[in-house]
Amino acid sequence: MTIRFNCPNCDELIAFADKYIGKQARCVSCGQRFIIPAENKATPQKVEPPAEKAEPVPGFYHAVLLDSWKIFVRPQNATGLVFVIAAVCFKFFTGHTDYSFTMRYFRVQAPVGLLVTLSAWGCLFWYYMEIICATSNEIDELPDVYMGGFFGFIWNVIKSLTIFSIGLFAVLMPCIIFIAISKSTGIIAQALSLLGLFAFPMAVLTFSAAPEISMVFRPDYIYKPVAKAFWPYLLVAGIFLLTWELQLRTVGYGELIGSNTLIIGLHLLANLAVQALALISIRSIGLFYMHYNCYFPW
């Protein structure tokens, strides 16, 4: 059962599974902390923000490298895992389909595969942010899947694709401008692009946990926590960049047409394995905030 209520500060609609009743959470829109109520539409009790922590919370490496794998064996995470598997399978098997056709002098566009692929990635991006938000709020389970019906699904897909595009733009644009001005090529250009991607997990974290989305355009908000907790963040960015690289190397069913069933099955398993690593990567972003939030300006 899902408990739905409004934020006591900004009135944003919020939903949590009933198993979180009585636990503390935070509104992703305004940052207000509250106690999750026991009934739908009940007004949650506000919680004063905790005193600023002077020291990081220990156990980050253990949480990322050992505890993160437990999410795949906990029965309560089954719904979230099935949601991710479904999104991967949909884009794997239908990403190549295009039913566009010509009718006399008109070209009727029906890029079904492209729409399915964008929808699948939008769902995954939305769920990534839900995972980061839950983890940063010290919830050690995958969040429930609730996108708000058909129109909520469309809105969340579009919003998530837009947010991730803005985040990628925010971290890569300075590097692209520098490459264009300096006319850098080859290894130097690749190194600068890698530097931009290195900051992308912080941009995603800012979108998911910060009170205001505009904070992603504040370099001090992005790089100050990185400078103060460089080695933990290096682990986070390393897993993220590894996932990014592996995702670029995966192929869909459209490139395997004519191959035998075993080859197709192995490629599908490869796509699912990369997505499993992506869940670990995304969870590590939330863990970075949970353990080192004393370094965050917000």
Side-chain angles (χ1 to χ4, degrees):
M1 177 180 170
T2 301
I3 303 296
R4 299 182 181 86
F5 54 92
N6 295 92
C7 172
N9 184 56
C10 69
D11 207 39
E12 179 77 9
L13 180 63
I14 301 171
F16 278 94
D18 57 1
K19 60 186 174 182
Y20 299 124
I21 289 173
K23 293 186 177 181
Q24 185 180 142
R26 183 179 61 182
C27 176
V28 296
S29 296
C30 68
Q32 174 65 53
R33 291 183 177 273
F34 50 78
I35 301 298
I36 298 173
E39 299 178 355
N40 281 321
K41 299 183 179 179
T43 302
Q45 176 187 348
K46 289 185 178 181
V47 175
E48 294 299 324
E52 185 176 348
K53 298 177 182 179
E55 297 293 335
V57 177
F60 171 76
Y61 294 104
H62 188 281
V64 172
L65 299 175
L66 297 179
D67 292 343
S68 288
W69 300 99
K70 297 177 182 178
I71 64 175
F72 300 109
V73 297
R74 290 174 176 163
Q76 58 267 39
N77 293 336
T79 302
L81 294 176
V82 169
F83 176 76
V84 171
I85 291 171
V88 172
C89 290
F90 270 115
K91 69 183 182 67
F92 178 83
F93 285 110
T94 63
H96 66 286
T97 56
D98 189 339
Y99 295 108
S100 301
F101 60 93
T102 301
M103 181 181 294
R104 295 179 65 93
Y105 304 108
F106 301 97
R107 179 68 175 171
V108 179
Q109 298 295 333
V112 175
L114 176 61
L115 294 176
V116 171
T117 299
L118 289 175
S119 297
W121 277 118
C123 290
L124 290 172
F125 291 162
W126 168 80
Y127 200 54
Y128 291 164
M129 290 190 290
E130 292 290 305
I131 292 173
I132 292 173
C133 182
T135 306
S136 64
N137 278 300
E138 303 182 19
I139 296 175
D140 197 30
E141 299 168 4
L142 293 179
D144 286 341
V145 178
Y146 177 74
M147 299 188 75
F150 177 75
F151 292 107
F153 168 81
I154 298 297
W155 165 246
N156 281 306
V157 165
I158 295 174
K159 182 177 71 172
S160 301
L161 290 172
T162 303
I163 284 176
F164 269 70
S165 299
I166 292 173
L168 198 59
F169 171 83
V171 298
L172 284 181
M173 186 51 60
C175 300
I176 293 173
I177 293 174
F178 184 83
I179 291 172
I181 293 176
S182 63
K183 298 182 180 180
S184 301
T185 57
I187 296 178
I188 296 178
Q190 292 178 4
L192 289 171
S193 299
L194 191 64
L195 179 62
L197 288 176
F198 179 78
F200 190 50
M202 277 299 300
V204 177
L205 174 58
T206 303
F207 282 131
S208 304
E212 297 179 13
I213 292 179
S214 60
M215 291 180 178
V216 76
F217 296 103
R218 290 280 302 270
D220 55 327
Y221 285 10
I222 297 294
Y223 293 103
K224 182 180 178 181
V226 174
K228 287 184 172 292
F230 178 77
W231 294 111
Y233 183 78
L234 184 63
L235 174 62
V236 172
I239 299 174
F240 176 83
L241 291 174
L242 174 61
T243 306
W244 181 287
E245 182 63 25
L246 291 175
Q247 183 62 60
L248 292 177
R249 295 178 183 274
T250 58
V251 299
Y253 178 73
E255 300 178 54
L256 301 170
I257 295 177
S259 301
N260 62 52
T261 305
L262 177 61
I263 296 299
I264 295 173
L266 289 174
H267 278 280
L268 176 58
L269 286 176
N271 276 266
L272 292 172
V274 171
Q275 205 50 233
L277 184 60
L279 293 180
I280 300 297
S281 172
I282 291 301
R283 187 172 183 275
S284 71
I285 296 174
L287 289 170
F288 179 76
Y289 177 79
M290 188 179 82
H291 285 264
Y292 298 98
N293 57 24
C294 58
Y295 297 146
F296 282 73
W298 39 271

